[in-house]
Amino acid sequence: MWRSNATTLAMLIVLNLAMFTLGTTPWTVLGLICLAGALFLSFRQGMAFGHEACCILQTVARARDPQSPSYGQVDEKVQRRAWDVSTGVKGVLLSALIPYVAGCLYIVLSLLKAHPADVVMRLVSWVLALPFWPAMLPFSQTFDRLTGPVAAVLMISPFVLPLCTFAGYMQGPRLWAKSEKAMAEGKRRAKAKSRVGRKKSAPKAQRPEI
């Protein structure tokens, strides 16, 4: 999960670096559009992760059943990929770790007035939070010093994309149950059609000639 979030964040950073030079209004509009698309993409990716994890969970459950032919045939690495709420929470924390730590370091160094380290961390944290600055531009356009809105963006933004992915991940059991139901209904329809086909193809009994 964290790799997907890191890739999405890197893509947004590159796009916003390109849009940053267009001016405040174009950057605000295009940046918000890109951010909305990334949030939707993260949610959809989370749904895919959750569905796959539920499939693995079923495989693990069979491997733990002594009556199953696949008993004991799943290793620990695969078991860790099975669907679990704690797995999703860990993915959120891992995804947010680097941007959050960078933001915290900048805030601490800025409060301590530790020059020039605070300038370096300001640049790093600004870049990592770059995709979310368009949401703040209508309220504040100050990035060169630590303010309340800047601190809020630095503390909140690391969790936005991961939480969207987590929300999609939590849909896994529902999606898995839906797909299992669809497969069961498809099998029933196929059996019904095969029975109808056999009845139609049955030879007619010949009547004796008089």
Side-chain angles (χ1 to χ4, degrees), residues 8 11 50-51 54 70 74 97 107 116 146 156 205:
T8 303
M11 178 183 64
H51 187 272
C54 286
S70 58
V74 177
L97 180 61
I107 292 174
L146 183 62
I156 296 173

Side-chain angles (χ1 to χ4, degrees), residues 115-138:
H115 301 291
D118 62 332
V119 177
V120 175
M121 289 310 304
R122 180 176 67 196
L123 178 61
V124 173
S125 60
W126 179 79
V127 170
L128 290 174
L130 188 61
F132 304 94
W133 291 123
M136 197 190 76
L137 284 174

Side-chain angles (χ1 to χ4, degrees), residues 5-27:
N5 288 322
T7 301
T8 303
L9 180 62
M11 178 183 64
L12 283 174
I13 290 174
V14 172
L15 289 174
N16 278 270
L17 284 173
M19 293 182 292
F20 174 71
T21 59
L22 300 177
T24 302
T25 301
W27 184 26

Side-chain angles (χ1 to χ4, degrees), residues 50-52 54-55 58 171-181:
H51 187 272
E52 181 184 4
C54 286
C55 178
Q58 189 180 64
Q171 303 300 312
R174 181 182 65 82
L175 295 174
W176 177 253
K178 185 177 180 181
S179 63
E180 287 290 288
K181 181 180 179 182

Side-chain angles (χ1 to χ4, degrees), residues 103 106-107 122 125-126 129 133 136 140-157:
Y106 166 58
I107 292 174
R122 180 176 67 196
S125 60
W126 179 79
W133 291 123
M136 197 190 76
S140 175
Q141 298 181 14
T142 301
F143 306 120
D144 58 347
R145 65 179 184 275
L146 183 62
T147 62
V150 170
V153 172
L154 294 178
M155 293 294 96
I156 296 173
S157 62

Side-chain angles (χ1 to χ4, degrees), residues 183-197:
M183 289 178 61
E185 290 178 351
K187 290 179 180 178
R188 285 197 296 269
R189 286 195 295 267
K191 288 181 179 179
K193 289 181 180 180
S194 65
R195 287 196 297 268
V196 172

